[in-house]
Amino acid sequence: MSDVLFLPYQQQWIANESRFKVGMFARQTGKTFGTAFELARDCQLADIDGRRTRWVILSRGERQAKEAIEEGVKRHCQAMGAVIKSSEGEWRGEASYRAMEVVFPNGSRITALPANPDTARGFSANVFLDEFAFHADSRKIWTALFPVISAGHKLRVVSTPNGKGNKFYELMTGEDALWYRQTCDIYQAVADGLPRDINELKTALNDDDAWTQEYELKWLDEASAWLSYDLINACENDQAGLGELSYGHGALSYGHGALSYGHGAPCPYQGGACFVGVDIAARNDLFVIYVLESVGDVLWTREIIVRKRITFQEQDALLDEVFRRYRVIRCCMDQTGMGEKPVEDAIRRHGSSRVEGVLFTGPNKLTLATIGKEAFEDRTIRIPLGDMALRADLHKLQKITGATGQPRFVAESDANGHADRTWACFLALNAAGRPGAPIEFKTAPSGGIRVGYNSGMNNYMKT
């Protein structure tokens, strides 16, 4: 029926016809692709038999839902010679969501949506939960889901692990005979024929925890993590920023107010008030600038600039560029140690009402960490969906109790930094909690930006 070749572990997954199936697979091993074939085949067979069937794919975001349809279902339908109609529209529940759908001639259909309790309640259908361990509100989704499949429908759940604090962990570690459970780590996938160089992947990743969880499928204990993966998942959004920018030593070219990110995609900045956090480093750790834009009562990540081993002059230039492109209300900078001069220079260039130095003392770090955790708990921050470096960095920070009983925050240092993105994010959140005077921006005749403080003080022209 299809000329698509599946590897043995994929064949094993597809061939099992249990009503309830849960699979844990290493990243990029084709778990979504293989499951999408099962859905397409089921609809094709139903059409041949004169029946109708319905599948719903619940993915972690709109982009992932679209990929499941475009790169999975539609490719399999084409290989099987199935005649289908595809569409993209709006699904309305308590809120509206972008939905992708494939319809077969006899009325069978596959619909893909971002996962949340609202979309989980909206159908009576077979369900495929894609990357379920990464779904925000996984337990609420699970509670809303079961009435949907109660009339004999099938349920497929696949994911890589994402800590122990979610429903996927409970499903995979359960001992009941009702569920068919399958696991395939990177070693089995390569042994079965997946073309990957394990040593190259592990060396390039250079993160033992990420390798252990994403590729070896081991469960990481979240007991000491300051931000659990559930908290991080809940604040991810595919409309937040465009991920992390690792600048090279060459100059970037900016157009008329729009930043180009390599593929011509415009910066999602909406022109609102922005708050910036800067973690200073010059040698082994990372220099990070984190930009948040205030949209309503939510702070959206707009840009994360990450550099390693650059001069203070280069750091100053990057920060000045952020002030030029965004309406920066307040910027909090790490003033500890080598940060003294960069903070002093930034205050001179941008004014003390917009730039504040923060010393990383024990009490100050506790304050910053508390502000950060509250933002994630209250979901008042949005971070880029699927930014693995940021996710690992946020989860890396741990709170431990010292011999005197005082709390301390520690993070393992590796090639991806020392929780530098996390502290830059927390500094930006701190800046948002202590805004300075409102600032008006007007385009100057020379093409620069005129910055006027509403208080009437320190007006200046930057060209």
Side-chain angles (χ1 to χ4, degrees):
M1 184 175 288
S2 171
D3 60 1
V4 175
L5 298 178
F6 293 106
L7 298 174
Y9 64 89
Q10 292 174 305
Q11 295 175 19
Q12 179 185 348
W13 173 255
I14 294 168
N16 187 280
E17 297 183 354
S18 299
R19 181 183 175 193
F20 301 110
K21 297 200 305 185
V22 56
M24 182 165 64
F25 300 86
R27 284 180 61 82
Q28 298 299 308
T29 53
K31 55 187 177 293
T32 303
F33 187 71
T35 309
F37 171 75
E38 186 179 0
L39 275 58
R41 181 187 61 179
D42 189 48
C43 288
Q44 175 79 328
L45 290 174
D47 258 31
I48 292 173
D49 294 340
R51 297 180 291 107
R52 290 184 181 180
T53 190
R54 181 76 183 275
W55 281 92
V56 174
I57 302 172
L58 296 180
S59 297
R60 58 189 302 210
E62 289 184 354
R63 177 172 58 83
Q64 286 75 13
K66 187 172 184 177
E67 286 178 0
I69 289 289
E70 295 290 341
E71 301 300 323
V73 172
K74 291 174 72 172
R75 286 182 61 187
H76 292 310
C77 289
Q78 183 180 12
M80 292 187 298
V83 178
I84 58 171
K85 292 182 179 180
S86 62
S87 63
E88 183 173 340
E90 192 174 46
W91 184 88
R92 291 186 177 274
E94 294 180 6
S96 62
Y97 305 93
R98 182 63 56 185
M100 280 59 66
E101 191 165 69
V102 167
V103 181
F104 291 74
N106 201 44
S108 294
R109 62 184 59 209
I110 302 171
T111 306
L113 287 160
N116 59 55
D118 187 19
T119 55
R121 289 189 184 92
F123 302 90
S124 177
N126 305 295
V127 175
F128 169 26
L129 295 174
D130 190 19
E131 288 289 13
F132 184 46
F134 295 85
H135 290 191
D137 291 328
S138 64
R139 297 180 189 281
K140 291 182 181 179
I141 290 172
W142 190 253
T143 300
L145 178 69
F146 254 81
V148 170
I149 63 163
S150 61
H153 295 300
K154 299 176 183 177
L155 181 57
R156 304 289 180 258
V157 184
V158 301
S159 189
T160 50
N162 186 30
K164 297 181 178 181
N166 52 69
K167 188 63 182 180
F168 181 73
Y169 170 77
E170 295 177 8
L171 292 176
M172 281 303 304
T173 56
E175 297 181 355
D176 59 273
L178 185 63
W179 283 84
Y180 169 74
R181 295 176 173 86
Q182 183 176 330
T183 300
C184 180
D185 61 19
I186 189 64
Y187 305 107
Q188 180 184 338
V190 170
D192 279 356
L194 185 70
R196 299 288 187 274
D197 186 324
I198 291 177
N199 290 331
E200 182 182 64
L201 279 175
K202 187 173 183 180
T203 301
L205 181 61
N206 197 20
D207 186 322
D208 289 341
D209 281 350
W211 179 262
T212 297
Q213 179 165 265
E214 302 287 331
Y215 291 94
E216 293 183 339
L217 308 183
K218 304 292 178 59
W219 305 102
L220 298 185
D221 188 2
E222 296 199 275
S224 60
W226 184 242
L227 296 177
S228 71
Y229 277 121
D230 268 1
L231 285 179
I232 296 168
N233 294 347
C235 294
E236 287 189 320
N237 190 290
D238 53 7
Q239 300 301 313
L242 292 176
E244 179 178 298
L245 294 179
S246 294
Y247 288 79
H249 289 281
L252 282 178
S253 176
Y254 299 94
H256 298 286
L259 171 62
S260 182
Y261 283 73
H263 299 288
C267 174
Y269 177 44
Q270 297 182 16
C274 289
F275 304 93
V276 176
V278 183
D279 192 50
I280 302 293
R283 293 186 179 90
N284 295 323
D285 294 329
L286 300 176
F287 169 76
V288 182
I289 300 176
Y290 204 110
V291 182
L292 293 171
E293 180 187 4
S294 178
V295 181
D297 58 354
V298 176
L299 293 163
W300 288 75
T301 300
R302 289 308 181 210
E303 187 171 345
I304 310 171
I305 300 173
V306 180
R307 291 288 295 272
K308 190 170 187 177
R309 296 192 183 96
I310 62 171
T311 65
F312 288 121
Q313 183 179 3
E314 290 175 294
Q315 294 179 23
D316 290 346
L318 287 172
L319 183 58
D320 289 348
E321 188 62 35
V322 166
F323 270 82
R324 187 183 73 81
R325 288 187 285 109
Y326 296 99
R327 190 158 69 94
V328 178
I329 302 298
R330 193 164 192 83
C331 171
C332 286
M333 301 177 63
D334 170 16
Q335 193 174 344
T336 313
M338 68 181 68
E340 289 284 356
K341 188 175 188 305
V343 170
E344 180 182 320
D345 292 343
I347 289 174
R348 185 181 67 251
R349 298 193 309 275
H350 303 290
S352 60
S353 63
R354 287 207 287 171
V355 178
E356 175 187 357
V358 179
L359 292 172
F360 272 23
T361 62
N364 283 351
K365 290 179 76 173
L366 177 59
T367 298
L368 290 173
T370 301
I371 289 171
K373 190 167 189 175
E374 288 176 349
F376 279 85
E377 289 176 336
D378 297 338
R379 300 187 188 182
T380 55
I381 183 174
R382 296 292 181 269
I383 62 174
L385 181 65
D387 185 335
M388 300 310 296
L390 177 61
R391 286 175 56 83
D393 205 296
L394 289 168
H395 190 258
K396 185 185 300 180
L397 190 66
Q398 297 182 330
K399 179 185 176 183
I400 62 174
T401 302
T404 63
Q406 294 298 314
R408 292 191 300 118
F409 290 92
V410 298
E412 293 292 333
S413 183
D414 54 32
N416 289 317
H418 193 243
D420 308 298
R421 299 171 185 82
T422 303
W423 288 117
C425 176
F426 290 175
L427 284 165
L429 289 167
N430 183 66
R434 301 176 61 191
I439 300 170
E440 294 180 352
F441 281 64
K442 298 179 181 179
T443 302
S446 63
I449 296 176
R450 183 185 301 274
V451 184
Y453 293 85
N454 283 356
S455 62
M457 300 175 62
N458 299 321
N459 293 319
Y460 69 96
M461 173 79 79
K462 178 182 177 183
T463 59

